[in-house]
Every structure is written in C-alpha cells, then in structure tokens.
Amino acid sequence: MSNKAIKNIYNLGVDIGSTTMKVAVTDDNNNLLFSDYRRHNANIRQTARHIMGSMYTKLGSCSLRVMITGSVGMGYAERLGFNFTQEVVAAAEVVKKNYPNVHTFIDMGGEDSKMIFFNEGKVPDIRMNGSCAGGTGAFIDQTATLLGVDTTELNSLAEKATTIYPIASRCGVFSKTDIQNLLARNVSRTDIAASMFNAVALQVISSLSRGMDIEPNIFFCGGPFAYLPELKKHFQRLLQLEDSDCILPDNAQIIPALGCALLAKTECQKATRIAKLIYLLRYADEELNLNHTNQLQPLFSDKTDFDNWLKNKTIHHISSAQLIDSEPTDYYLGVDSGSTTTKIILLNSEGQIVYSDYRRNEGDSFNAFYASMQQLYQSVAYPENIIISRSCATGYGESLLKTAFNLDYGIVETMAHFTAAKSINPNVSFLLDIGGQDMKAIFIENGSIRHIEINEACSSGCGSFIETFANMLNYPVAEFARMACFAHHPYDLGTRCTVFMNSKVKQAMREGASVDDIAAGFSYSVIKNCLFKVMKLRNINELGNYIVVQGGTFRNFSIVRALELMTNTNVSLSNIPELMGAYGAALYAINN
C-alpha cells in the first residue's frame, strides 16, 4: 500500500542505548505527539512491546516512518529492515533545526558521553568517550549503589553538600576505592554525592574538550542531565557559566530519538503500520533472524533437569548446634576479614557451628568484627559463659584484628581455605575460591599444596564481575544466576575484563540474545576467566578429579554447573561456601 493511501503517517525515532530505550513520535510539522524513556535491562523486545502498547493507546491505528539509533539499535535496525543513523548525527539534527545559536553540545548516556562543537560554515567537530565508562551514567549508578540509595536520590543529597573531595572518575574500579575510603572516614553521603558529580563533570570536560574551547551557548542532554539538575550545576561551576549560557531543553532525555524522528520525515521512503511493528516484537523470531551462532551448551535442558541435578547434588552439610550459655562453655573462633566482607564462625568442641555472621565491612575491618562480636554476645542471656578458648584470623585484615583484639593465631588465606576444603573432601585435588574481588586457585597433590594462583589486578574472574553486570541490567545477583540456569542459548561472552565486557554485552543485545542467555554467558565467563585468563590453564586435566569450590560466588548454582560442564567432573561444595575461610580458621583454632 502506498503512503498516500495511509492516513495518519507519523515519524518514529528510536534510541536503544546500553541501558535505556527512548522513543519520540512527531508529525510532519515536527510536533512531538508521543515520547517514552525507560530502562530496558537488556530485555529489548519486551521493553519495546510495552512502549508500543502505550503508543498505540495514545495514537491509535497509524503508520510510522522509522529511524533507529543507539549502541544497541544497529542490530535491530538491520534485522527489521529500518533506517539507522549515528546518535551524534541524530542529536545534531535537533540542535541545527531548533537551537541554531548553540556552540557546544554535551550529551551523557548510560555508558558513553559525547561533545559536539558547532562553528558556522564548518563541519561539526564530534568527540566521544572510548571504552572507559568514567564520566557516564553507569558511573553515577555505581555511586548510588555504593551509597545504598536510588540514583535520583543522589540529587537531593548533593544539594546539601558542603565539601568537595577528589574522586578518580577515569575508571569505575578506582572510583569505587576512593568512595569506600571516604565512607570509611565517615564522610557524609551528601559530600560524596556532590564529589561524584564534580568528578563526572571534570572527566567529561577534560577527556572530550581536548584543546577546544567550551563556549556558550551550551546544550545539555541525556538522562543524567534531565533527572539530576545538580550535575548540570557542577558543569556550570567548573566552566564558569551563567544560567543564560546553558540550554537544558524539555525532553532532554530523548534528544537522539527526537533527532531520528526529524530525520525519518525526509530520509525514510516507506511507512510501517503500527500493528505490524507490535506483531514483529511479539511473535516474529524468524523476521528478527535471531543469531544463535555464538551459543554455548545450556547449563540445564529444562527445569526438570535442574531439579534432578539439585536433588542428586552432594552438598556437604557442615553440622550446626545450639549455642549454650547456661554454663561456662569453651568455643573456638574463626574470622575471615576480607577486603569487602567480614565472616565469622564459632565452633563448639565437637566442631559444630553455633554462630556465624557475614557482613559487608564498608572498608572498616575493625568495626565490622567488633559489631559482629557484639551481636554474638547480645544474642545470649549469659554472655560471660561464652568462653573463647582459642581464636584465629585470616584474610585482608588478619594482622589488624589479631593485634587489636589479641587473637591467638593468624594464618594465610590459602591455608584457611585448604583446611576447610579437606574437611569436606579429604581427596581434594583442586580448590577454587571466588570472592567478591579476589580469586584463589590451589593445586593439591598427595594431600599437600603444590601450586597457588591468585588474581592480582584483574577482577574478571570474581564475584564482583557478575554482580556488576547483574546490577547494570537491574537484576539481583541471585535472580540473575537462577535465570542463567534456564537459558536455551547461553551467549559466549568469552574471557574479557569488565571494561571490554561492556561492548560484548552490547553485541549480544544487538544480536537479540535474551537476558537469560546473557546471564548464562556470564556464568561460563566467570569460570573461563578464572581458568584461562587468570590462571592461564593449558590442560583441564591439571585440576584432577576432586574439585572443591568455595566463596559466596558459588551460592549461584549456575556457576557451579558451568564449572562441572567445563571440567566434566562432579564438583564438591558445602552448605556455607561464603564462610569457608572463617570455617578453616576456626578449624585451625580448634586443632592447635
């Protein structure tokens, strides 16, 4: 049917970024008829269906000229047969048509930032950030997570700040360390929020201006600017700008999508009925040509397979008993003071667990241990009858706690974990411990440690690796791991560091991978990174037949299963994988 025979032809611009989807619908007079902005959590098609449903309710039956942009949008444009343009081209179209007096354009997205310099008679000078997420929305999201607030709450916190502290904004790893140090020093969350906005502004200005003068008028757009007014104020302060020098337009969060709608009017030759778009998004896998070439073996064939595996899986149960305080009783304390968490185990003389605690230490090992012990003594009626006969510390804060609290012993982490592993499998040939930010691989021969591998600068094989991306996609880690168990086409994400994994996840989304497939890919990737990137393993047989796993990461059965499939072994784990370091320390205390 020709466009002339179709009533109500509008222009649809779609911007599918790394974290959000934005749409704008305009008529041929460039009036905005409909818009939407929402996080897609890697579920592109479901998000698009919801938006299209709202669009149909608002606009009714119509046809649409479609133009798509965004880091994830290209793959969908290709498979659906729609026009595609670069984000900066789309955004520049809005500025050229509606804001001709703009000299500098600054846009911030989920994982990228852009700057465009407009000079009359010259081609616009376009700058974009590279593979680093410093100075982007993801950087802001990470700070919100560390402070335990919603991203939008950062704005109200920053409004009340009195002091700006230096925070490294060039890398999420360094910034996280700086923020944790500020928290440990009891710096207020208001000052940290403002300091983060300041760091973001400095990063964008320094990395993207590169010799060009940032002159008025300055046009700000992108979700962070639209929803966090304090962020714009920090740019103004650093650039010494007045309010009259700045433009923050209505709908600043959808500018590239709006630019696509403007371009669609002149560059798209055909229109598609909205009903057909909804059909494609709901049913048409064949039309989308989903790519399953980069897939791995499913962790489980179906839920029944998972249930049977879990039913038959030998999870070594470390027995527990009631804490007795009615009379003086001897107990043995083990503490694992890690870089991010503190774990405590209290054993009775029979080696049964009578008390355990696991908590984040927020960079303060001393107070985390003190608070845990306070909780122990406050939980009983007669704390004076709890006699700690011997105690042992291990981990990052071992020396501090041993000295400060006069603990009896201190042992290196590898010995603590090895001691715990032998207690559940005396024949252990290989021990893999994956914590939040570290990994330990221990090769054992004839009951003795033969070789140890520990990660240094790379965190790609650690729990924070999968936690980072679960949070990025807006899923709790436990749910993310469970989804992985039921993926039909796990996406092969390979062995990459956190920074470069961002681009791989975007590629997976462009190719139509589901969240389940991406989650399963991460489960495989954690193990691949451990075995081949960090340990540089050449032959899987080096691990032997008796593998024991420890660390909170192995609470996720998807990662346990990925290791089993890759090694073709039946992996041993306990019912307390996250506490095994403390358990090993407590066993050392009871036996020495």
Side-chain angles (χ1 to χ4, degrees):
M1 183 178 292
S2 69
N3 288 352
K4 292 181 180 179
I6 303 173
K7 295 181 180 180
N8 297 333
I9 301 176
Y10 302 130
N11 308 297
L12 169 62
V14 182
D15 178 8
I16 311 176
S18 57
T19 59
T20 58
M21 181 180 294
K22 291 79 71 177
V23 302
V25 179
T26 63
D27 61 19
D28 284 347
N29 294 319
N30 298 336
N31 296 308
L32 183 63
L33 305 178
F34 174 86
S35 66
D36 204 324
Y37 173 101
R38 63 182 74 189
R39 288 181 180 266
H40 56 62
N41 302 322
N43 201 331
I44 308 298
R45 293 176 66 189
Q46 181 177 325
T47 303
R49 286 199 300 269
H50 290 161
I51 293 175
M52 294 299 293
S54 299
M55 188 188 304
Y56 184 83
T57 300
K58 177 77 177 290
L59 303 178
S61 181
C62 63
S63 291
L64 300 160
R65 305 181 190 101
V66 183
M67 178 75 76
I68 299 178
T69 190
S71 58
V72 178
M74 181 182 291
Y76 282 86
E78 290 175 352
R79 288 193 297 279
L80 289 167
F82 294 127
N83 291 43
F84 177 84
T85 189
Q86 294 292 335
E87 294 170 73
V88 287
V89 174
E93 187 71 12
V94 176
V95 174
K96 285 189 293 184
K97 288 194 173 180
N98 300 333
Y99 303 93
N101 294 324
V102 165
H103 177 269
T104 310
F105 167 97
I106 301 176
D107 176 31
M108 187 180 299
E111 291 184 5
D112 56 18
S113 54
K114 296 172 280 289
M115 195 174 287
I116 306 175
F117 297 93
F118 296 92
N119 291 287
E120 189 173 352
K122 295 183 180 180
V123 176
D125 186 343
I126 298 171
R127 314 285 180 86
M128 295 183 67
N129 70 323
S131 59
C132 179
T136 67
F139 183 86
I140 296 171
D141 286 346
Q142 176 178 275
T143 303
T145 300
L146 289 171
L147 297 182
V149 299
D150 183 81
T151 302
T152 55
E153 291 181 64
L154 289 173
N155 198 76
S156 57
L157 288 174
E159 287 178 334
K160 305 168 187 173
T162 57
T163 306
I164 300 295
Y165 293 87
I167 293 177
S169 63
R170 65 192 183 278
C171 174
V173 174
F174 297 135
S175 68
K176 187 174 182 178
T177 300
D178 285 348
I179 292 170
Q180 287 176 329
N181 286 338
L182 291 175
L183 287 169
R185 289 163 50 192
N186 292 321
V187 171
S188 70
R189 295 190 304 168
T190 57
D191 287 348
I192 293 174
S195 299
M196 180 274 301
F197 284 152
N198 181 72
V200 168
L202 279 171
Q203 174 67 10
V204 172
I205 293 168
S206 62
S207 65
L208 297 183
S209 60
R210 298 196 305 273
M212 293 291 289
D213 293 328
I214 302 177
E215 298 176 353
N217 288 327
I218 298 177
F219 183 95
F220 292 94
C221 71
F225 287 122
Y227 299 116
L228 302 169
E230 284 298 306
L231 177 61
K232 180 169 104 28
K233 290 180 181 178
H234 282 272
F235 275 84
Q236 286 184 242
R237 180 178 58 80
L238 290 170
L239 296 171
Q240 299 180 344
L241 300 171
E242 302 294 332
D243 286 341
S244 58
D245 297 326
C246 303
I247 299 171
L248 181 64
D250 294 336
N251 302 306
Q253 71 276 21
I254 63 164
I255 292 299
L258 185 58
C260 280
L262 297 177
L263 290 168
K265 182 176 71 171
T266 57
E267 297 188 13
C268 296
Q269 301 302 313
K270 64 177 182 178
T272 304
R273 290 186 181 277
I274 191 171
K276 183 177 180 181
L277 287 174
I278 293 173
Y279 172 82
L280 285 172
L281 292 168
R282 181 166 296 173
Y283 300 112
D285 279 357
E286 291 183 5
E287 285 89 337
L288 282 170
N289 294 319
L290 295 183
N291 183 354
H292 296 313
T293 57
N294 292 319
Q295 72 181 57
L296 299 164
Q297 178 184 348
L299 298 174
F300 300 97
S301 57
D302 51 32
K303 188 176 185 303
T304 300
D305 186 26
F306 171 77
D307 291 339
N308 289 336
W309 176 84
L310 191 58
K311 178 180 178 181
N312 296 319
K313 182 68 185 169
T314 301
I315 298 178
H316 298 269
H317 188 83
I318 298 172
S319 63
S320 59
Q322 185 150 0
L323 184 66
I324 298 173
D325 67 325
S326 56
E327 58 186 31
T329 307
D330 290 335
Y331 292 107
Y332 304 86
L333 177 69
V335 52
D336 179 3
S337 178
S339 58
T340 59
T341 56
T342 296
K343 289 81 69 177
I344 285 179
I345 288 279
L346 194 66
L347 301 179
N348 61 19
S349 56
E350 283 75 42
Q352 298 170 304
I353 299 174
V354 296
Y355 173 79
S356 66
D357 186 49
Y358 178 103
R359 65 180 64 207
R360 291 191 175 275
N361 56 34
E362 309 297 345
D364 190 346
S365 302
F366 180 95
N367 279 316
F369 175 74
Y370 181 75
S372 183
M373 294 304 293
Q374 270 194 319
Q375 179 177 294
L376 164 64
Y377 288 119
Q378 289 171 359
S379 67
V380 297
Y382 303 101
E384 66 274 10
N385 287 338
I386 306 298
I387 301 171
I388 308 296
S389 293
R390 287 189 296 275
S391 54
C392 179
T394 190
Y396 174 82
E398 171 211 327
S399 297
L400 170 65
L401 297 188
K402 184 173 182 293
T403 302
F405 294 95
N406 198 29
L407 304 183
D408 297 297
Y409 304 108
I411 60 173
V412 296
E413 290 179 80
T414 49
M415 287 305 301
H417 287 281
F418 178 43
T419 300
K422 286 194 299 182
S423 73
I424 67 170
N425 189 339
N427 297 317
V428 56
S429 60
F430 175 72
L431 166 62
L432 181 60
D433 174 72
I434 302 180
Q437 293 184 356
D438 58 7
M439 181 276 290
K440 292 174 283 293
I442 304 175
F443 296 81
I444 298 144
E445 188 175 342
N446 298 323
S448 300
I449 295 176
R450 174 173 59 86
H451 178 59
I452 299 172
E453 290 283 355
I454 301 175
N455 71 316
E456 295 177 355
C458 181
S459 64
S460 60
C462 302
S464 60
F465 178 74
I466 197 167
E467 182 180 17
T468 295
F469 285 94
N471 291 338
M472 184 189 83
L473 299 175
N474 206 29
Y475 287 93
V477 176
E479 182 181 350
F480 194 64
R482 184 168 179 82
M483 291 164 63
C485 294
F486 307 114
H488 297 297
H489 307 285
Y491 193 94
D492 189 357
L493 296 169
T495 54
R496 287 170 172 79
C497 77
T498 304
V499 172
F500 296 118
M501 188 61 79
N502 284 327
S503 61
K504 192 67 176 179
V505 171
K506 290 178 189 176
Q507 178 183 330
M509 291 190 288
R510 283 196 297 267
E511 294 180 3
S514 68
V515 181
D516 292 10
D517 294 337
I518 292 172
F522 273 116
S523 296
Y524 273 109
S525 192
V526 165
I527 299 302
K528 283 184 175 183
N529 281 330
C530 280
L531 298 183
F532 305 120
K533 189 171 187 292
V534 178
M535 292 165 47
K536 298 179 174 60
L537 194 69
R538 294 184 179 181
N539 187 342
I540 209 76
N541 294 327
E542 293 180 44
L543 307 182
N545 296 320
Y546 302 101
I547 297 174
V548 175
V549 295
Q550 298 177 7
T553 300
F554 287 107
R555 278 283 182 191
N556 305 320
F557 290 135
S558 62
I559 298 177
V560 177
R561 182 60 173 165
L563 178 59
E564 289 188 333
L565 291 176
M566 291 181 63
T567 59
N568 196 31
T569 58
N570 184 10
V571 169
S572 298
L573 74 157
S574 75
N575 59 319
I576 54 165
E578 73 279 15
L579 297 172
M580 291 297 276
Y583 180 61
L587 290 176
Y588 186 90
I590 202 172
N591 292 320
N592 287 277

